Every structure is written in C-alpha cells, then in structure tokens.
Amino acid sequence: MTTLFRSAVAIGVLMAAVGIHGQALAAPVTVSDSAIQTVDGQDFNFNFAGLPASDGTAGSLTIRIRGDFSIGASLGESYAFNLDGLLSVADLQATNANLITSFGFNDILFEEIFAINGATMSAIAANGVASLLVDYAVGVNVGLSAAPSIMVTLNYQSAAVNAVPEPGSLALLVMGLVAAASARKRVA
C-alpha cells in the first residue's frame, strides 16, 4: 500500500469515527408571546407548547408591560403571575428600578425579570408545555394607556442531545474499510 493511500484510508476512518460519535449539543431556548389588554383587570393566559427538556441550569421569565401602572402608587395597579404552579409572585408593581419609559402618569412601560432555579426550570419544561397566568388587579384600567399590552418571554438552556451521524461520514468509513480490505488482498 502506498503512503498516500494509507493516509487517505486513515483520514477517512478518522472522519467517519468523529461523525459516528457526534457531540452533545445544547441550545438556548427562547419562547415569547404577547397580548393586548382589552378589559380592566384582565387575566392573560399564555401557553407554550413543544418545549425541549431543560439541561437543569437556571432560566428566566421576563414580563414587559405597558399600561395603567403608576410608579410606587398603591392605587390597585398591580399584577401577579403563576407559571405552572411552580413559580408564582403576587402584588407586583411598577418601580423606578424596572421602569423603561413613561408616556404619562397612567401610561408606562416597565419590565421585570424573574430568575428560575435549575430544578424548577427542569420541572417546568419536563412535559414540553408551560402555562403562564398573568393577573392584573382590578385597578389596572384599559382606557388610560394608549397601547396597553403585555409581552412574556421564557429563556433557558435545552438538554444536550447527541448529534445524529451524517450519512457522508458513514460512507467514508465504509469506503475506508473496503479500501483497507482490498489492499490486504492485493498484498497477500
């Protein structure tokens, strides 16, 4: 067997072996949904389906709201949320810390980001579906904002999955083995 032929066989076998074993791939998962507020004190139901399993690390839930909320005022302008019964917070209000911009006294845009620990994130994504209920208090009026809306985003890391070997790598392996076998027959 020539040195060039041996090198080609070795490269083919090596490339095929790498393709067969593949590598574990994890990917960031981001799912979002939004809604327009149409009534005072509205409840919003968001359902995310087809979620891949979590890799067990922390994730986050972001809630961005534009509407009838006043900074630091206890005018009944609050909201609560429940994510699959595993993460819930009540009596949330707009503050200077989460304010993005103010369009007027009763029309502001603000955002809250909630950390989700790894175990809770795994439980939320375990069955591939997550349900989020956001409940506005009765004092959150629809008519006091020019564009009352809500956007929710769930972020986490998917579980690692093994890459599927590509057919080209398998073909290279087979060609390398056939070439090695035919070279042995010629030498013998």
Side-chain angles (χ1 to χ4, degrees), residues 44-63:
F44 299 92
N45 289 298
F46 299 100
N47 293 300
F48 303 110
L51 297 176
S54 169
D55 71 350
T57 59
S60 67
L61 172 66
T62 302
I63 300 177

PDB file of all heavy atoms in Angstrom, residues 44-63:
ATOM      1  N   PHE A  44     -54.432  37.173  31.708  1.00  0.00           N
ATOM      2  CA  PHE A  44     -53.830  36.713  30.461  1.00  0.00           C
ATOM      3  C   PHE A  44     -53.340  35.280  30.654  1.00  0.00           C
ATOM      4  O   PHE A  44     -52.662  34.986  31.639  1.00  0.00           O
ATOM      5  CB  PHE A  44     -52.635  37.591  30.077  1.00  0.00           C
ATOM      6  CG  PHE A  44     -52.985  39.031  29.857  1.00  0.00           C
ATOM      7  CD1 PHE A  44     -52.911  39.941  30.902  1.00  0.00           C
ATOM      8  CD2 PHE A  44     -53.382  39.475  28.613  1.00  0.00           C
ATOM      9  CE1 PHE A  44     -53.221  41.275  30.708  1.00  0.00           C
ATOM     10  CE2 PHE A  44     -53.699  40.809  28.402  1.00  0.00           C
ATOM     11  CZ  PHE A  44     -53.621  41.708  29.445  1.00  0.00           C
ATOM     12  N   ASN A  45     -53.663  34.405  29.704  1.00  0.00           N
ATOM     13  CA  ASN A  45     -53.184  33.021  29.737  1.00  0.00           C
ATOM     14  C   ASN A  45     -52.256  32.798  28.552  1.00  0.00           C
ATOM     15  O   ASN A  45     -52.664  32.962  27.401  1.00  0.00           O
ATOM     16  CB  ASN A  45     -54.355  32.034  29.655  1.00  0.00           C
ATOM     17  CG  ASN A  45     -55.160  32.026  30.932  1.00  0.00           C
ATOM     18  OD1 ASN A  45     -54.638  31.689  31.977  1.00  0.00           O
ATOM     19  ND2 ASN A  45     -56.423  32.427  30.840  1.00  0.00           N
ATOM     20  N   PHE A  46     -51.022  32.434  28.850  1.00  0.00           N
ATOM     21  CA  PHE A  46     -50.042  32.145  27.812  1.00  0.00           C
ATOM     22  C   PHE A  46     -49.672  30.665  27.918  1.00  0.00           C
ATOM     23  O   PHE A  46     -49.367  30.181  29.002  1.00  0.00           O
ATOM     24  CB  PHE A  46     -48.788  33.002  27.996  1.00  0.00           C
ATOM     25  CG  PHE A  46     -49.068  34.477  27.920  1.00  0.00           C
ATOM     26  CD1 PHE A  46     -49.177  35.237  29.074  1.00  0.00           C
ATOM     27  CD2 PHE A  46     -49.216  35.112  26.693  1.00  0.00           C
ATOM     28  CE1 PHE A  46     -49.429  36.599  29.024  1.00  0.00           C
ATOM     29  CE2 PHE A  46     -49.477  36.485  26.622  1.00  0.00           C
ATOM     30  CZ  PHE A  46     -49.574  37.219  27.786  1.00  0.00           C
ATOM     31  N   ASN A  47     -49.703  29.969  26.785  1.00  0.00           N
ATOM     32  CA  ASN A  47     -49.341  28.554  26.763  1.00  0.00           C
ATOM     33  C   ASN A  47     -48.221  28.338  25.758  1.00  0.00           C
ATOM     34  O   ASN A  47     -48.338  28.734  24.594  1.00  0.00           O
ATOM     35  CB  ASN A  47     -50.551  27.694  26.398  1.00  0.00           C
ATOM     36  CG  ASN A  47     -51.599  27.746  27.492  1.00  0.00           C
ATOM     37  OD1 ASN A  47     -51.339  27.368  28.618  1.00  0.00           O
ATOM     38  ND2 ASN A  47     -52.778  28.247  27.156  1.00  0.00           N
ATOM     39  N   PHE A  48     -47.149  27.733  26.221  1.00  0.00           N
ATOM     40  CA  PHE A  48     -46.009  27.431  25.371  1.00  0.00           C
ATOM     41  C   PHE A  48     -45.935  25.915  25.200  1.00  0.00           C
ATOM     42  O   PHE A  48     -45.765  25.190  26.181  1.00  0.00           O
ATOM     43  CB  PHE A  48     -44.713  27.939  25.997  1.00  0.00           C
ATOM     44  CG  PHE A  48     -44.730  29.421  26.278  1.00  0.00           C
ATOM     45  CD1 PHE A  48     -44.770  29.884  27.580  1.00  0.00           C
ATOM     46  CD2 PHE A  48     -44.718  30.345  25.252  1.00  0.00           C
ATOM     47  CE1 PHE A  48     -44.787  31.248  27.861  1.00  0.00           C
ATOM     48  CE2 PHE A  48     -44.749  31.710  25.516  1.00  0.00           C
ATOM     49  CZ  PHE A  48     -44.777  32.162  26.824  1.00  0.00           C
ATOM     50  N   ALA A  49     -46.061  25.441  23.970  1.00  0.00           N
ATOM     51  CA  ALA A  49     -46.028  24.003  23.702  1.00  0.00           C
ATOM     52  C   ALA A  49     -44.779  23.654  22.894  1.00  0.00           C
ATOM     53  O   ALA A  49     -44.167  24.519  22.267  1.00  0.00           O
ATOM     54  CB  ALA A  49     -47.272  23.591  22.930  1.00  0.00           C
ATOM     55  N   GLY A  50     -44.411  22.384  22.922  1.00  0.00           N
ATOM     56  CA  GLY A  50     -43.253  21.916  22.164  1.00  0.00           C
ATOM     57  C   GLY A  50     -41.924  22.302  22.775  1.00  0.00           C
ATOM     58  O   GLY A  50     -40.922  22.407  22.071  1.00  0.00           O
ATOM     59  N   LEU A  51     -41.906  22.516  24.080  1.00  0.00           N
ATOM     60  CA  LEU A  51     -40.659  22.914  24.740  1.00  0.00           C
ATOM     61  C   LEU A  51     -39.721  21.717  24.893  1.00  0.00           C
ATOM     62  O   LEU A  51     -40.146  20.660  25.347  1.00  0.00           O
ATOM     63  CB  LEU A  51     -40.954  23.478  26.128  1.00  0.00           C
ATOM     64  CG  LEU A  51     -41.804  24.744  26.205  1.00  0.00           C
ATOM     65  CD1 LEU A  51     -42.085  25.096  27.660  1.00  0.00           C
ATOM     66  CD2 LEU A  51     -41.110  25.890  25.503  1.00  0.00           C
ATOM     67  N   PRO A  52     -38.453  21.883  24.549  1.00  0.00           N
ATOM     68  CA  PRO A  52     -37.492  20.812  24.817  1.00  0.00           C
ATOM     69  C   PRO A  52     -37.163  20.763  26.308  1.00  0.00           C
ATOM     70  O   PRO A  52     -37.341  21.752  27.020  1.00  0.00           O
ATOM     71  CB  PRO A  52     -36.271  21.204  23.985  1.00  0.00           C
ATOM     72  CG  PRO A  52     -36.384  22.677  23.795  1.00  0.00           C
ATOM     73  CD  PRO A  52     -37.853  23.002  23.834  1.00  0.00           C
ATOM     74  N   ALA A  53     -36.676  19.618  26.764  1.00  0.00           N
ATOM     75  CA  ALA A  53     -36.291  19.476  28.170  1.00  0.00           C
ATOM     76  C   ALA A  53     -35.178  20.457  28.519  1.00  0.00           C
ATOM     77  O   ALA A  53     -34.373  20.829  27.675  1.00  0.00           O
ATOM     78  CB  ALA A  53     -35.838  18.044  28.437  1.00  0.00           C
ATOM     79  N   SER A  54     -35.147  20.864  29.771  1.00  0.00           N
ATOM     80  CA  SER A  54     -34.116  21.779  30.265  1.00  0.00           C
ATOM     81  C   SER A  54     -32.858  20.993  30.626  1.00  0.00           C
ATOM     82  O   SER A  54     -32.930  19.820  30.977  1.00  0.00           O
ATOM     83  CB  SER A  54     -34.633  22.506  31.509  1.00  0.00           C
ATOM     84  OG  SER A  54     -33.592  23.197  32.156  1.00  0.00           O
ATOM     85  N   ASP A  55     -31.717  21.656  30.559  1.00  0.00           N
ATOM     86  CA  ASP A  55     -30.465  20.996  30.954  1.00  0.00           C
ATOM     87  C   ASP A  55     -30.229  21.079  32.458  1.00  0.00           C
ATOM     88  O   ASP A  55     -29.200  20.631  32.949  1.00  0.00           O
ATOM     89  CB  ASP A  55     -29.274  21.574  30.196  1.00  0.00           C
ATOM     90  CG  ASP A  55     -28.899  22.990  30.632  1.00  0.00           C
ATOM     91  OD1 ASP A  55     -29.664  23.620  31.391  1.00  0.00           O
ATOM     92  OD2 ASP A  55     -27.834  23.477  30.212  1.00  0.00           O
ATOM     93  N   GLY A  56     -31.170  21.635  33.202  1.00  0.00           N
ATOM     94  CA  GLY A  56     -31.050  21.687  34.656  1.00  0.00           C
ATOM     95  C   GLY A  56     -30.398  22.954  35.186  1.00  0.00           C
ATOM     96  O   GLY A  56     -30.271  23.126  36.395  1.00  0.00           O
ATOM     97  N   THR A  57     -29.982  23.855  34.298  1.00  0.00           N
ATOM     98  CA  THR A  57     -29.424  25.124  34.768  1.00  0.00           C
ATOM     99  C   THR A  57     -30.558  26.142  34.889  1.00  0.00           C
ATOM    100  O   THR A  57     -31.670  25.917  34.432  1.00  0.00           O
ATOM    101  CB  THR A  57     -28.331  25.656  33.818  1.00  0.00           C
ATOM    102  OG1 THR A  57     -28.893  25.831  32.512  1.00  0.00           O
ATOM    103  CG2 THR A  57     -27.153  24.691  33.735  1.00  0.00           C
ATOM    104  N   ALA A  58     -30.237  27.268  35.481  1.00  0.00           N
ATOM    105  CA  ALA A  58     -31.237  28.304  35.723  1.00  0.00           C
ATOM    106  C   ALA A  58     -31.771  28.883  34.415  1.00  0.00           C
ATOM    107  O   ALA A  58     -31.101  28.857  33.384  1.00  0.00           O
ATOM    108  CB  ALA A  58     -30.635  29.415  36.578  1.00  0.00           C
ATOM    109  N   GLY A  59     -32.981  29.400  34.476  1.00  0.00           N
ATOM    110  CA  GLY A  59     -33.599  30.089  33.350  1.00  0.00           C
ATOM    111  C   GLY A  59     -34.181  31.399  33.840  1.00  0.00           C
ATOM    112  O   GLY A  59     -33.901  31.838  34.968  1.00  0.00           O
ATOM    113  N   SER A  60     -34.999  32.032  33.012  1.00  0.00           N
ATOM    114  CA  SER A  60     -35.609  33.291  33.435  1.00  0.00           C
ATOM    115  C   SER A  60     -36.954  33.492  32.753  1.00  0.00           C
ATOM    116  O   SER A  60     -37.215  32.957  31.677  1.00  0.00           O
ATOM    117  CB  SER A  60     -34.695  34.478  33.127  1.00  0.00           C
ATOM    118  OG  SER A  60     -34.562  34.650  31.725  1.00  0.00           O
ATOM    119  N   LEU A  61     -37.789  34.274  33.410  1.00  0.00           N
ATOM    120  CA  LEU A  61     -39.067  34.710  32.872  1.00  0.00           C
ATOM    121  C   LEU A  61     -39.046  36.228  32.855  1.00  0.00           C
ATOM    122  O   LEU A  61     -38.791  36.858  33.886  1.00  0.00           O
ATOM    123  CB  LEU A  61     -40.231  34.213  33.742  1.00  0.00           C
ATOM    124  CG  LEU A  61     -41.608  34.764  33.387  1.00  0.00           C
ATOM    125  CD1 LEU A  61     -42.053  34.265  32.014  1.00  0.00           C
ATOM    126  CD2 LEU A  61     -42.621  34.401  34.458  1.00  0.00           C
ATOM    127  N   THR A  62     -39.283  36.806  31.694  1.00  0.00           N
ATOM    128  CA  THR A  62     -39.329  38.264  31.560  1.00  0.00           C
ATOM    129  C   THR A  62     -40.767  38.671  31.262  1.00  0.00           C
ATOM    130  O   THR A  62     -41.401  38.114  30.371  1.00  0.00           O
ATOM    131  CB  THR A  62     -38.403  38.736  30.421  1.00  0.00           C
ATOM    132  OG1 THR A  62     -37.077  38.290  30.682  1.00  0.00           O
ATOM    133  CG2 THR A  62     -38.422  40.251  30.304  1.00  0.00           C
ATOM    134  N   ILE A  63     -41.271  39.636  32.023  1.00  0.00           N
ATOM    135  CA  ILE A  63     -42.604  40.177  31.798  1.00  0.00           C
ATOM    136  C   ILE A  63     -42.451  41.674  31.522  1.00  0.00           C
ATOM    137  O   ILE A  63     -41.935  42.414  32.360  1.00  0.00           O
ATOM    138  CB  ILE A  63     -43.532  39.942  33.007  1.00  0.00           C
ATOM    139  CG1 ILE A  63     -43.672  38.437  33.268  1.00  0.00           C
ATOM    140  CG2 ILE A  63     -44.892  40.595  32.779  1.00  0.00           C
ATOM    141  CD1 ILE A  63     -44.498  38.090  34.488  1.00  0.00           C
TER     142      ILE A  63
END
